[in-house]
Amino acid sequence: MTGGGSDPGPGEDVVDARGKRCPIPVIDLARHAAEHPTAHRVLVLATDPAAAHDIPAWCRMRGHHFVEQRPSRDHTVYVVELIEQNEQVTT
């Protein structure tokens, strides 16, 4: 993946949602998180301006950490740290 800030580093996955409209970028991110439970950091590439609100909101609702957003050529890169969810329920 090339293009000013879109290159994944070690331990980073990429969800390419460029050209997709709301709510698809968040749906793609949620699907990636569910399908890759060991993923730590995800770069979401998106062109839809609504992603600037939707991705941080999804992180808050799901207990993940929204790191930053940064412009890159024809899209924006949203950096998300996936926090392992403890699914054990204590009584």
Side-chain angles (χ1 to χ4, degrees):
M1 184 87 23
T2 62
S6 299
D7 294 328
E12 294 180 330
D13 292 347
V14 173
V15 172
D16 190 348
R18 291 177 288 187
K20 298 179 181 179
R21 304 295 293 169
C22 178
I24 302 303
V26 169
I27 291 171
D28 287 352
L29 172 58
R31 183 175 295 131
H32 184 85
E35 292 174 355
H36 300 87
T38 60
H40 175 66
R41 186 176 274 226
V42 180
L43 307 181
V44 182
L45 314 181
T47 51
D48 186 359
H53 301 285
D54 294 346
I55 292 174
W58 179 84
C59 290
R60 283 190 303 275
M61 292 186 322
R62 299 294 180 199
H64 300 298
H65 178 63
F66 179 72
V67 177
E68 68 175 338
Q69 72 181 56
R70 57 183 182 253
S72 179
R73 289 191 191 178
D74 63 344
H75 61 279
T76 302
V77 179
Y78 300 91
V79 182
V80 174
E81 285 185 358
L82 300 178
I83 307 301
E84 187 175 336
Q85 304 298 307
N86 184 354
E87 296 182 355
Q88 296 179 355
V89 178
T90 58
T91 57

